[in-house]
Amino acid sequence: MPKVLIIDDSAVMRKIIQRNILQSGLLVDEFVEAGDGREGLEKAISNNVDLILCDWNMPNMTGIEFVKALRGSGQKSNIPIVMVTTEGGETKIEEAKSSGANGYLTKPFTPEQLKSKLGNFLLVK
Amino acid sequence: MTLESRIETVTVDIAESTRTLFETMIMMDLKYDAASLVDDTQIKTDVIGIVSFTGKCCGVIALFCSKKFALKVASAILMTELNEFTGEVKDAIGEIANMIAGNVKTKLTAQYGDMQLSIPIVIAGEGLSITAGTNHPIGAESTLSWFSRDTWLMTPFISNNEKFNIGLLMRESNK
């Protein structure tokens, strides 16, 4: 079963996302956590993760900087990335997609919305 | 642009953003009342979750609540019973303030152009007020001291028999 990397500077939000994924019936074997884009980049490259969920506003390296860095790294650069963020404007969504994000989910979200966005990348029970 | 002239639309933005959050991730009942302008001497609270924003408009969105309500709402969003006011509860309040501010910002962006949000800050204690000693425009426009003598647009909410408020300070940027 897949391994999912969650990058968010809030430990609480990482926990909320995990619980919502499990509650929505999406099949995940293991969660890997990172507190900012820089740590996320290290963990994305050093772990065999199948999907990355990434916040936008974080210290050290923002989510959009992370997306650009991973896509330009030449290492594990094809891992699907879904932005999970409070940034909900059309221009932000376009910026994320043009930078290489594969999906976009605005906080707050329901388990059903999460399932709908991640269902393209994860199997459902 | 004054906050007074924007009360009706901004109040709706705050109420809708808070309602959406409570309907999706918190799953607690929510009622809200008419917003009013209050000065900082009227604010007494236990917990403050603050997110500031900059851009053509700059300001602060803050959640004011009791520790009892903070525990209830953190328990709800984390789907687990929390009985002590820990760092996890503060983190949850920060995320709640962040999600409300993010949604209000998205609505304001349509009118005022792009804005940048800060990372949330949470302060907890007993009978907290939020006042700075000076009112001089200094350095960063989003600092609380710059706004300290402005009036807050305060929207009162009730959930699970507990009151809380979402406050907004907002000004057009000079830049």
Side-chain angles (χ1 to χ4, degrees), chain A residues 8-13 15-16 19-20 23 57-59 86-89 92 106-111 113, chain B residues 17 20-21 23-25 27 77-80 88 91-92 95 98-99 102-103 105-106 114-117 119-120:
Chain A
D8 197 305
D9 56 322
S10 164
V12 157
M13 186 48 69
K15 192 181 280 189
I16 290 167
R19 289 184 180 172
N20 275 274
Q23 192 187 39
N57 295 312
M58 294 181 288
T86 55
E87 294 284 357
K92 295 286 187 186
T106 308
K107 299 174 197 168
F109 52 80
T110 62
Q113 289 166 334
Chain B
S17 298
T20 301
L21 174 62
E23 284 178 354
T24 53
M25 296 183 82
M27 307 297 189
I77 202 166
L78 279 159
M79 300 181 229
T80 188
E88 194 169 46
D91 197 3
E95 277 309 303
N98 190 39
M99 285 190 275
N103 277 265
K105 191 210 88 165
T106 299
D114 195 23
M115 300 173 184
Q116 287 75 47
L117 282 184
I119 289 166

mmCIF file of all heavy atoms in Angstrom, chain A residues 8-13 15-16 19-20 23 57-59 86-89 92 106-111 113, chain B residues 17 20-21 23-25 27 77-80 88 91-92 95 98-99 102-103 105-106 114-117 119-120:
data_model
loop_
_atom_site.group_PDB
_atom_site.id
_atom_site.type_symbol
_atom_site.label_atom_id
_atom_site.label_comp_id
_atom_site.label_asym_id
_atom_site.label_seq_id
_atom_site.Cartn_x
_atom_site.Cartn_y
_atom_site.Cartn_z
ATOM 1 N N ASP A 8 3.480 20.155 6.202
ATOM 2 C CA ASP A 8 2.687 21.255 6.773
ATOM 3 C C ASP A 8 3.410 21.695 8.045
ATOM 4 O O ASP A 8 3.865 20.847 8.820
ATOM 5 C CB ASP A 8 1.260 20.779 7.091
ATOM 6 C CG ASP A 8 0.296 21.939 7.278
ATOM 7 O OD1 ASP A 8 0.565 22.833 8.119
ATOM 8 O OD2 ASP A 8 -0.727 21.969 6.574
ATOM 9 N N ASP A 9 3.504 22.994 8.257
ATOM 10 C CA ASP A 9 4.214 23.473 9.454
ATOM 11 C C ASP A 9 3.412 23.260 10.727
ATOM 12 O O ASP A 9 3.951 23.407 11.829
ATOM 13 C CB ASP A 9 4.619 24.943 9.306
ATOM 14 C CG ASP A 9 3.442 25.850 9.018
ATOM 15 O OD1 ASP A 9 2.541 25.436 8.266
ATOM 16 O OD2 ASP A 9 3.421 26.979 9.527
ATOM 17 N N SER A 10 2.148 22.909 10.607
ATOM 18 C CA SER A 10 1.324 22.625 11.784
ATOM 19 C C SER A 10 1.239 21.118 12.010
ATOM 20 O O SER A 10 0.696 20.384 11.175
ATOM 21 C CB SER A 10 -0.082 23.198 11.595
ATOM 22 O OG SER A 10 -0.957 22.630 12.535
ATOM 23 N N ALA A 11 1.755 20.671 13.170
ATOM 24 C CA ALA A 11 1.659 19.248 13.513
ATOM 25 C C ALA A 11 0.202 18.833 13.639
ATOM 26 O O ALA A 11 -0.171 17.711 13.277
ATOM 27 C CB ALA A 11 2.400 18.985 14.823
ATOM 28 N N VAL A 12 -0.627 19.751 14.142
ATOM 29 C CA VAL A 12 -2.054 19.460 14.264
ATOM 30 C C VAL A 12 -2.689 19.245 12.896
ATOM 31 O O VAL A 12 -3.466 18.314 12.696
ATOM 32 C CB VAL A 12 -2.766 20.596 15.037
ATOM 33 C CG1 VAL A 12 -4.242 20.648 14.722
ATOM 34 C CG2 VAL A 12 -2.560 20.413 16.526
ATOM 35 N N MET A 13 -2.335 20.086 11.939
ATOM 36 C CA MET A 13 -2.914 19.922 10.601
ATOM 37 C C MET A 13 -2.445 18.619 9.962
ATOM 38 O O MET A 13 -3.217 17.947 9.277
ATOM 39 C CB MET A 13 -2.558 21.130 9.717
ATOM 40 C CG MET A 13 -3.236 21.105 8.355
ATOM 41 S SD MET A 13 -5.030 20.773 8.353
ATOM 42 C CE MET A 13 -5.663 22.274 9.091
ATOM 43 N N LYS A 15 -1.859 15.903 11.533
ATOM 44 C CA LYS A 15 -2.671 14.875 12.189
ATOM 45 C C LYS A 15 -4.105 14.880 11.645
ATOM 46 O O LYS A 15 -4.694 13.831 11.383
ATOM 47 C CB LYS A 15 -2.676 15.130 13.704
ATOM 48 C CG LYS A 15 -3.235 13.994 14.506
ATOM 49 C CD LYS A 15 -3.235 14.312 15.994
ATOM 50 C CE LYS A 15 -1.877 14.101 16.634
ATOM 51 N NZ LYS A 15 -1.947 14.217 18.117
ATOM 52 N N ILE A 16 -4.661 16.087 11.454
ATOM 53 C CA ILE A 16 -6.036 16.207 10.925
ATOM 54 C C ILE A 16 -6.119 15.579 9.531
ATOM 55 O O ILE A 16 -7.056 14.850 9.211
ATOM 56 C CB ILE A 16 -6.461 17.696 10.877
ATOM 57 C CG1 ILE A 16 -6.655 18.232 12.296
ATOM 58 C CG2 ILE A 16 -7.727 17.882 10.051
ATOM 59 C CD1 ILE A 16 -6.760 19.756 12.372
ATOM 60 N N ARG A 19 -6.034 11.763 9.787
ATOM 61 C CA ARG A 19 -7.284 11.197 10.296
ATOM 62 C C ARG A 19 -8.398 11.273 9.251
ATOM 63 O O ARG A 19 -9.204 10.365 9.132
ATOM 64 C CB ARG A 19 -7.702 11.902 11.588
ATOM 65 C CG ARG A 19 -6.777 11.501 12.698
ATOM 66 C CD ARG A 19 -7.143 12.068 14.035
ATOM 67 N NE ARG A 19 -6.164 11.588 15.011
ATOM 68 C CZ ARG A 19 -6.075 12.000 16.254
ATOM 69 N NH1 ARG A 19 -6.916 12.881 16.708
ATOM 70 N NH2 ARG A 19 -5.167 11.522 17.047
ATOM 71 N N ASN A 20 -8.401 12.364 8.493
ATOM 72 C CA ASN A 20 -9.410 12.494 7.442
ATOM 73 C C ASN A 20 -9.173 11.500 6.311
ATOM 74 O O ASN A 20 -10.122 10.978 5.733
ATOM 75 C CB ASN A 20 -9.444 13.922 6.906
ATOM 76 C CG ASN A 20 -10.327 14.833 7.739
ATOM 77 O OD1 ASN A 20 -11.523 14.916 7.530
ATOM 78 N ND2 ASN A 20 -9.730 15.498 8.725
ATOM 79 N N GLN A 23 -10.310 8.176 7.693
ATOM 80 C CA GLN A 23 -11.768 8.175 7.847
ATOM 81 C C GLN A 23 -12.479 8.075 6.495
ATOM 82 O O GLN A 23 -13.545 7.496 6.396
ATOM 83 C CB GLN A 23 -12.213 9.448 8.571
ATOM 84 C CG GLN A 23 -13.658 9.400 9.035
ATOM 85 C CD GLN A 23 -14.123 10.728 9.604
ATOM 86 O OE1 GLN A 23 -13.783 11.798 9.114
ATOM 87 N NE2 GLN A 23 -14.903 10.669 10.660
ATOM 88 N N ASN A 57 1.785 28.108 2.772
ATOM 89 C CA ASN A 57 2.500 29.068 3.629
ATOM 90 C C ASN A 57 3.245 28.342 4.747
ATOM 91 O O ASN A 57 2.637 27.867 5.698
ATOM 92 C CB ASN A 57 1.514 30.070 4.240
ATOM 93 C CG ASN A 57 0.876 30.942 3.194
ATOM 94 O OD1 ASN A 57 1.565 31.497 2.336
ATOM 95 N ND2 ASN A 57 -0.443 31.050 3.226
ATOM 96 N N MET A 58 4.554 28.267 4.594
ATOM 97 C CA MET A 58 5.395 27.612 5.604
ATOM 98 C C MET A 58 6.710 28.365 5.717
ATOM 99 O O MET A 58 7.147 29.001 4.761
ATOM 100 C CB MET A 58 5.701 26.166 5.188
ATOM 101 C CG MET A 58 4.495 25.255 5.154
ATOM 102 S SD MET A 58 4.944 23.577 4.677
ATOM 103 C CE MET A 58 5.309 23.782 2.935
ATOM 104 N N PRO A 59 7.350 28.288 6.886
ATOM 105 C CA PRO A 59 8.664 28.927 7.026
ATOM 106 C C PRO A 59 9.742 28.167 6.238
ATOM 107 O O PRO A 59 9.513 27.035 5.813
ATOM 108 C CB PRO A 59 8.928 28.844 8.527
ATOM 109 C CG PRO A 59 8.109 27.686 8.999
ATOM 110 C CD PRO A 59 6.907 27.632 8.117
ATOM 111 N N THR A 86 -4.892 26.958 2.649
ATOM 112 C CA THR A 86 -5.963 27.948 2.791
ATOM 113 C C THR A 86 -5.959 28.935 1.619
ATOM 114 O O THR A 86 -6.894 29.717 1.461
ATOM 115 C CB THR A 86 -5.800 28.773 4.083
ATOM 116 O OG1 THR A 86 -4.505 29.365 4.092
ATOM 117 C CG2 THR A 86 -5.976 27.914 5.303
ATOM 118 N N GLU A 87 -4.906 28.915 0.807
ATOM 119 C CA GLU A 87 -4.821 29.822 -0.346
ATOM 120 C C GLU A 87 -5.812 29.336 -1.410
ATOM 121 O O GLU A 87 -5.578 28.337 -2.078
ATOM 122 C CB GLU A 87 -3.403 29.824 -0.925
ATOM 123 C CG GLU A 87 -2.359 30.395 0.012
ATOM 124 C CD GLU A 87 -2.411 31.918 0.087
ATOM 125 O OE1 GLU A 87 -3.219 32.543 -0.620
ATOM 126 O OE2 GLU A 87 -1.626 32.482 0.864
ATOM 127 N N GLY A 88 -6.917 30.057 -1.557
ATOM 128 C CA GLY A 88 -7.974 29.541 -2.408
ATOM 129 C C GLY A 88 -8.237 30.300 -3.693
ATOM 130 O O GLY A 88 -9.126 29.943 -4.447
ATOM 131 N N GLY A 89 -7.481 31.338 -3.976
ATOM 132 C CA GLY A 89 -7.751 32.145 -5.165
ATOM 133 C C GLY A 89 -7.368 31.442 -6.455
ATOM 134 O O GLY A 89 -6.499 30.576 -6.475
ATOM 135 N N LYS A 92 -3.688 31.609 -7.440
ATOM 136 C CA LYS A 92 -2.845 30.695 -6.658
ATOM 137 C C LYS A 92 -2.959 29.278 -7.214
ATOM 138 O O LYS A 92 -1.957 28.559 -7.318
ATOM 139 C CB LYS A 92 -3.258 30.716 -5.184
ATOM 140 C CG LYS A 92 -3.032 32.035 -4.485
ATOM 141 C CD LYS A 92 -1.561 32.258 -4.204
ATOM 142 C CE LYS A 92 -1.357 33.502 -3.357
ATOM 143 N NZ LYS A 92 0.058 33.841 -3.187
ATOM 144 N N THR A 106 -8.539 23.103 -1.076
ATOM 145 C CA THR A 106 -8.558 24.256 -0.182
ATOM 146 C C THR A 106 -9.047 23.857 1.204
ATOM 147 O O THR A 106 -10.038 23.153 1.342
ATOM 148 C CB THR A 106 -9.482 25.352 -0.762
ATOM 149 O OG1 THR A 106 -9.098 25.616 -2.096
ATOM 150 C CG2 THR A 106 -9.377 26.633 0.042
ATOM 151 N N LYS A 107 -8.307 24.285 2.237
ATOM 152 C CA LYS A 107 -8.770 24.121 3.623
ATOM 153 C C LYS A 107 -9.785 25.214 3.913
ATOM 154 O O LYS A 107 -9.549 26.358 3.497
ATOM 155 C CB LYS A 107 -7.609 24.288 4.613
ATOM 156 C CG LYS A 107 -6.473 23.320 4.495
ATOM 157 C CD LYS A 107 -5.373 23.773 5.459
ATOM 158 C CE LYS A 107 -4.034 23.152 5.179
ATOM 159 N NZ LYS A 107 -2.938 23.807 5.929
ATOM 160 N N PRO A 108 -10.855 24.952 4.651
ATOM 161 C CA PRO A 108 -11.211 23.666 5.234
ATOM 162 C C PRO A 108 -11.820 22.726 4.194
ATOM 163 O O PRO A 108 -12.361 23.182 3.186
ATOM 164 C CB PRO A 108 -12.249 24.050 6.291
ATOM 165 C CG PRO A 108 -12.889 25.286 5.761
ATOM 166 C CD PRO A 108 -11.813 26.012 5.020
ATOM 167 N N PHE A 109 -11.758 21.424 4.490
ATOM 168 C CA PHE A 109 -12.291 20.430 3.561
ATOM 169 C C PHE A 109 -13.039 19.366 4.345
ATOM 170 O O PHE A 109 -12.794 19.169 5.538
ATOM 171 C CB PHE A 109 -11.157 19.786 2.765
ATOM 172 C CG PHE A 109 -10.049 19.249 3.634
ATOM 173 C CD1 PHE A 109 -10.176 18.022 4.276
ATOM 174 C CD2 PHE A 109 -8.886 19.974 3.828
ATOM 175 C CE1 PHE A 109 -9.163 17.535 5.094
ATOM 176 C CE2 PHE A 109 -7.873 19.494 4.657
ATOM 177 C CZ PHE A 109 -8.013 18.270 5.294
ATOM 178 N N THR A 110 -13.945 18.665 3.655
ATOM 179 C CA THR A 110 -14.636 17.527 4.274
ATOM 180 C C THR A 110 -13.870 16.255 3.896
ATOM 181 O O THR A 110 -13.111 16.258 2.911
ATOM 182 C CB THR A 110 -16.078 17.404 3.738
ATOM 183 O OG1 THR A 110 -16.004 17.168 2.326
ATOM 184 C CG2 THR A 110 -16.893 18.654 4.008
ATOM 185 N N PRO A 111 -14.077 15.160 4.623
ATOM 186 C CA PRO A 111 -13.457 13.893 4.223
ATOM 187 C C PRO A 111 -13.835 13.504 2.792
ATOM 188 O O PRO A 111 -13.024 12.942 2.053
ATOM 189 C CB PRO A 111 -14.009 12.884 5.239
ATOM 190 C CG PRO A 111 -14.330 13.702 6.443
ATOM 191 C CD PRO A 111 -14.784 15.035 5.906
ATOM 192 N N GLN A 113 -14.486 15.582 0.268
ATOM 193 C CA GLN A 113 -13.700 16.399 -0.669
ATOM 194 C C GLN A 113 -12.262 15.882 -0.770
ATOM 195 O O GLN A 113 -11.672 15.838 -1.837
ATOM 196 C CB GLN A 113 -13.709 17.867 -0.232
ATOM 197 C CG GLN A 113 -15.057 18.536 -0.445
ATOM 198 C CD GLN A 113 -15.175 19.875 0.292
ATOM 199 O OE1 GLN A 113 -14.516 20.120 1.306
ATOM 200 N NE2 GLN A 113 -16.026 20.743 -0.229
ATOM 201 N N SER B 17 -17.021 32.396 6.125
ATOM 202 C CA SER B 17 -15.775 31.626 6.258
ATOM 203 C C SER B 17 -15.788 30.783 7.527
ATOM 204 O O SER B 17 -15.364 29.625 7.524
ATOM 205 C CB SER B 17 -14.566 32.580 6.285
ATOM 206 O OG SER B 17 -14.487 33.292 5.077
ATOM 207 N N THR B 20 -18.375 27.892 7.093
ATOM 208 C CA THR B 20 -17.828 26.824 6.240
ATOM 209 C C THR B 20 -16.884 25.931 7.038
ATOM 210 O O THR B 20 -16.944 24.704 6.944
ATOM 211 C CB THR B 20 -17.067 27.445 5.041
ATOM 212 O OG1 THR B 20 -17.979 28.248 4.306
ATOM 213 C CG2 THR B 20 -16.490 26.369 4.144
ATOM 214 N N LEU B 21 -16.028 26.549 7.833
ATOM 215 C CA LEU B 21 -15.087 25.764 8.643
ATOM 216 C C LEU B 21 -15.834 24.871 9.634
ATOM 217 O O LEU B 21 -15.508 23.690 9.784
ATOM 218 C CB LEU B 21 -14.136 26.707 9.398
ATOM 219 C CG LEU B 21 -13.196 26.040 10.394
ATOM 220 C CD1 LEU B 21 -12.251 25.070 9.702
ATOM 221 C CD2 LEU B 21 -12.389 27.089 11.150
ATOM 222 N N GLU B 23 -18.853 23.738 9.407
ATOM 223 C CA GLU B 23 -19.637 22.704 8.727
ATOM 224 C C GLU B 23 -18.761 21.592 8.167
ATOM 225 O O GLU B 23 -19.213 20.466 7.997
ATOM 226 C CB GLU B 23 -20.444 23.331 7.581
ATOM 227 C CG GLU B 23 -21.653 24.104 8.067
ATOM 228 C CD GLU B 23 -22.425 24.762 6.931
ATOM 229 O OE1 GLU B 23 -21.960 24.706 5.768
ATOM 230 O OE2 GLU B 23 -23.487 25.355 7.217
ATOM 231 N N THR B 24 -17.508 21.904 7.836
ATOM 232 C CA THR B 24 -16.674 20.907 7.172
ATOM 233 C C THR B 24 -15.764 20.138 8.127
ATOM 234 O O THR B 24 -15.690 18.917 8.069
ATOM 235 C CB THR B 24 -15.796 21.560 6.091
ATOM 236 O OG1 THR B 24 -15.078 22.657 6.669
ATOM 237 C CG2 THR B 24 -16.621 22.060 4.931
ATOM 238 N N MET B 25 -15.050 20.838 9.002
ATOM 239 C CA MET B 25 -14.009 20.171 9.786
ATOM 240 C C MET B 25 -14.251 20.156 11.288
ATOM 241 O O MET B 25 -13.575 19.445 12.008
ATOM 242 C CB MET B 25 -12.648 20.833 9.499
ATOM 243 C CG MET B 25 -12.223 20.650 8.062
ATOM 244 S SD MET B 25 -10.612 21.336 7.690
ATOM 245 C CE MET B 25 -9.546 20.027 8.253
ATOM 246 N N MET B 27 -17.689 20.438 12.788
ATOM 247 C CA MET B 27 -18.960 19.750 13.025
ATOM 248 C C MET B 27 -19.585 20.117 14.364
ATOM 249 O O MET B 27 -20.044 19.269 15.109
ATOM 250 C CB MET B 27 -18.772 18.220 12.965
ATOM 251 C CG MET B 27 -18.103 17.719 11.712
ATOM 252 S SD MET B 27 -19.124 18.089 10.278
ATOM 253 C CE MET B 27 -18.270 17.170 9.012
ATOM 254 N N ILE B 77 -11.920 19.273 16.104
ATOM 255 C CA ILE B 77 -11.170 19.251 14.843
ATOM 256 C C ILE B 77 -10.139 18.113 14.832
ATOM 257 O O ILE B 77 -9.792 17.576 13.786
ATOM 258 C CB ILE B 77 -10.520 20.629 14.555
ATOM 259 C CG1 ILE B 77 -10.226 20.772 13.058
ATOM 260 C CG2 ILE B 77 -9.269 20.873 15.390
ATOM 261 C CD1 ILE B 77 -9.908 22.168 12.612
ATOM 262 N N LEU B 78 -9.677 17.718 16.029
ATOM 263 C CA LEU B 78 -8.709 16.618 16.109
ATOM 264 C C LEU B 78 -9.389 15.262 16.298
ATOM 265 O O LEU B 78 -8.721 14.229 16.341
ATOM 266 C CB LEU B 78 -7.726 16.865 17.254
ATOM 267 C CG LEU B 78 -6.602 17.824 16.894
ATOM 268 C CD1 LEU B 78 -5.974 18.432 18.135
ATOM 269 C CD2 LEU B 78 -5.543 17.122 16.071
ATOM 270 N N MET B 79 -10.720 15.294 16.425
ATOM 271 C CA MET B 79 -11.502 14.062 16.594
ATOM 272 C C MET B 79 -11.020 13.252 17.793
ATOM 273 O O MET B 79 -10.925 12.014 17.730
ATOM 274 C CB MET B 79 -11.438 13.209 15.327
ATOM 275 C CG MET B 79 -11.976 13.892 14.088
ATOM 276 S SD MET B 79 -11.881 12.784 12.666
ATOM 277 C CE MET B 79 -11.105 13.817 11.452
ATOM 278 N N THR B 80 -10.673 13.932 18.858
ATOM 279 C CA THR B 80 -10.239 13.252 20.081
ATOM 280 C C THR B 80 -10.535 14.153 21.284
ATOM 281 O O THR B 80 -10.521 15.376 21.150
ATOM 282 C CB THR B 80 -8.733 12.919 20.006
ATOM 283 O OG1 THR B 80 -8.375 12.107 21.115
ATOM 284 C CG2 THR B 80 -7.854 14.145 20.014
ATOM 285 N N GLU B 88 -0.808 21.382 21.699
ATOM 286 C CA GLU B 88 -1.635 20.864 20.605
ATOM 287 C C GLU B 88 -2.924 21.675 20.465
ATOM 288 O O GLU B 88 -3.383 21.939 19.356
ATOM 289 C CB GLU B 88 -1.952 19.387 20.867
ATOM 290 C CG GLU B 88 -2.509 18.675 19.664
ATOM 291 C CD GLU B 88 -2.564 17.164 19.846
ATOM 292 O OE1 GLU B 88 -3.019 16.712 20.905
ATOM 293 O OE2 GLU B 88 -2.142 16.451 18.919
ATOM 294 N N ASP B 91 -1.942 24.918 18.856
ATOM 295 C CA ASP B 91 -1.701 24.680 17.432
ATOM 296 C C ASP B 91 -3.033 24.591 16.667
ATOM 297 O O ASP B 91 -3.185 25.138 15.571
ATOM 298 C CB ASP B 91 -0.888 23.384 17.280
ATOM 299 C CG ASP B 91 -0.236 23.244 15.912
ATOM 300 O OD1 ASP B 91 -0.355 24.175 15.099
ATOM 301 O OD2 ASP B 91 0.403 22.205 15.660
ATOM 302 N N ALA B 92 -4.004 23.917 17.296
ATOM 303 C CA ALA B 92 -5.325 23.794 16.652
ATOM 304 C C ALA B 92 -5.997 25.159 16.511
ATOM 305 O O ALA B 92 -6.592 25.474 15.471
ATOM 306 C CB ALA B 92 -6.210 22.844 17.457
ATOM 307 N N GLU B 95 -4.478 26.958 13.655
ATOM 308 C CA GLU B 95 -4.962 26.456 12.358
ATOM 309 C C GLU B 95 -6.381 26.932 12.071
ATOM 310 O O GLU B 95 -6.724 27.232 10.933
ATOM 311 C CB GLU B 95 -4.891 24.928 12.325
ATOM 312 C CG GLU B 95 -3.535 24.405 11.961
ATOM 313 C CD GLU B 95 -2.979 25.044 10.683
ATOM 314 O OE1 GLU B 95 -3.642 24.971 9.637
ATOM 315 O OE2 GLU B 95 -1.898 25.632 10.730
ATOM 316 N N ASN B 98 -6.106 30.407 11.061
ATOM 317 C CA ASN B 98 -5.491 30.412 9.731
ATOM 318 C C ASN B 98 -6.505 30.086 8.638
ATOM 319 O O ASN B 98 -6.525 30.732 7.577
ATOM 320 C CB ASN B 98 -4.342 29.386 9.722
ATOM 321 C CG ASN B 98 -3.493 29.478 8.488
ATOM 322 O OD1 ASN B 98 -3.209 30.563 7.997
ATOM 323 N ND2 ASN B 98 -3.092 28.335 7.963
ATOM 324 N N MET B 99 -7.364 29.100 8.891
ATOM 325 C CA MET B 99 -8.340 28.721 7.858
ATOM 326 C C MET B 99 -9.403 29.803 7.683
ATOM 327 O O MET B 99 -9.832 30.079 6.566
ATOM 328 C CB MET B 99 -8.967 27.367 8.201
ATOM 329 C CG MET B 99 -8.009 26.215 7.938
ATOM 330 S SD MET B 99 -8.783 24.591 8.058
ATOM 331 C CE MET B 99 -8.657 24.286 9.816
ATOM 332 N N GLY B 102 -7.629 32.656 5.899
ATOM 333 C CA GLY B 102 -7.361 32.297 4.506
ATOM 334 C C GLY B 102 -8.587 32.461 3.632
ATOM 335 O O GLY B 102 -8.513 32.971 2.513
ATOM 336 N N ASN B 103 -9.728 32.045 4.171
ATOM 337 C CA ASN B 103 -10.962 32.171 3.390
ATOM 338 C C ASN B 103 -11.419 33.617 3.277
ATOM 339 O O ASN B 103 -11.889 34.042 2.216
ATOM 340 C CB ASN B 103 -12.052 31.300 4.013
ATOM 341 C CG ASN B 103 -11.921 29.865 3.554
ATOM 342 O OD1 ASN B 103 -12.562 29.459 2.600
ATOM 343 N ND2 ASN B 103 -11.041 29.109 4.189
ATOM 344 N N LYS B 105 -9.413 36.155 3.340
ATOM 345 C CA LYS B 105 -8.440 36.743 2.422
ATOM 346 C C LYS B 105 -8.802 36.446 0.957
ATOM 347 O O LYS B 105 -8.716 37.326 0.098
ATOM 348 C CB LYS B 105 -7.040 36.186 2.708
ATOM 349 C CG LYS B 105 -5.946 36.914 1.987
ATOM 350 C CD LYS B 105 -4.770 36.037 1.664
ATOM 351 C CE LYS B 105 -4.956 35.337 0.336
ATOM 352 N NZ LYS B 105 -3.739 34.747 -0.211
ATOM 353 N N THR B 106 -9.203 35.224 0.685
ATOM 354 C CA THR B 106 -9.592 34.861 -0.685
ATOM 355 C C THR B 106 -10.755 35.741 -1.161
ATOM 356 O O THR B 106 -10.767 36.227 -2.292
ATOM 357 C CB THR B 106 -9.987 33.377 -0.760
ATOM 358 O OG1 THR B 106 -8.852 32.601 -0.374
ATOM 359 C CG2 THR B 106 -10.415 32.975 -2.164
ATOM 360 N N ASP B 114 -4.124 40.762 -4.691
ATOM 361 C CA ASP B 114 -3.479 39.697 -3.940
ATOM 362 C C ASP B 114 -2.962 40.184 -2.582
ATOM 363 O O ASP B 114 -2.551 41.332 -2.439
ATOM 364 C CB ASP B 114 -2.325 39.102 -4.749
ATOM 365 C CG ASP B 114 -1.862 37.770 -4.184
ATOM 366 O OD1 ASP B 114 -2.666 37.112 -3.497
ATOM 367 O OD2 ASP B 114 -0.707 37.403 -4.423
ATOM 368 N N MET B 115 -3.011 39.318 -1.611
ATOM 369 C CA MET B 115 -2.507 39.606 -0.264
ATOM 370 C C MET B 115 -1.686 38.417 0.196
ATOM 371 O O MET B 115 -1.869 37.305 -0.275
ATOM 372 C CB MET B 115 -3.659 39.799 0.717
ATOM 373 C CG MET B 115 -4.591 40.924 0.356
ATOM 374 S SD MET B 115 -6.002 40.903 1.470
ATOM 375 C CE MET B 115 -6.977 42.214 0.761
ATOM 376 N N GLN B 116 -0.793 38.668 1.141
ATOM 377 C CA GLN B 116 0.007 37.595 1.715
ATOM 378 C C GLN B 116 -0.399 37.401 3.183
ATOM 379 O O GLN B 116 -0.548 38.377 3.916
ATOM 380 C CB GLN B 116 1.510 37.916 1.651
ATOM 381 C CG GLN B 116 2.092 37.818 0.239
ATOM 382 C CD GLN B 116 1.692 38.985 -0.637
ATOM 383 O OE1 GLN B 116 1.786 40.131 -0.222
ATOM 384 N NE2 GLN B 116 1.222 38.698 -1.834
ATOM 385 N N LEU B 117 -0.541 36.129 3.560
ATOM 386 C CA LEU B 117 -0.906 35.810 4.944
ATOM 387 C C LEU B 117 0.328 35.475 5.757
ATOM 388 O O LEU B 117 1.261 34.858 5.245
ATOM 389 C CB LEU B 117 -1.810 34.572 4.984
ATOM 390 C CG LEU B 117 -3.278 34.677 4.636
ATOM 391 C CD1 LEU B 117 -3.937 33.326 4.858
ATOM 392 C CD2 LEU B 117 -3.973 35.739 5.461
ATOM 393 N N ILE B 119 2.066 33.457 9.103
ATOM 394 C CA ILE B 119 1.866 32.210 9.842
ATOM 395 C C ILE B 119 1.119 32.565 11.130
ATOM 396 O O ILE B 119 1.366 33.615 11.715
ATOM 397 C CB ILE B 119 3.244 31.563 10.115
ATOM 398 C CG1 ILE B 119 3.803 31.038 8.787
ATOM 399 C CG2 ILE B 119 3.146 30.446 11.136
ATOM 400 C CD1 ILE B 119 5.257 30.694 8.836
ATOM 401 N N PRO B 120 0.178 31.725 11.582
ATOM 402 C CA PRO B 120 -0.611 32.095 12.775
ATOM 403 C C PRO B 120 0.212 32.144 14.067
ATOM 404 O O PRO B 120 1.173 31.395 14.226
ATOM 405 C CB PRO B 120 -1.671 30.987 12.860
ATOM 406 C CG PRO B 120 -1.154 29.867 12.048
ATOM 407 C CD PRO B 120 -0.267 30.449 11.006
#
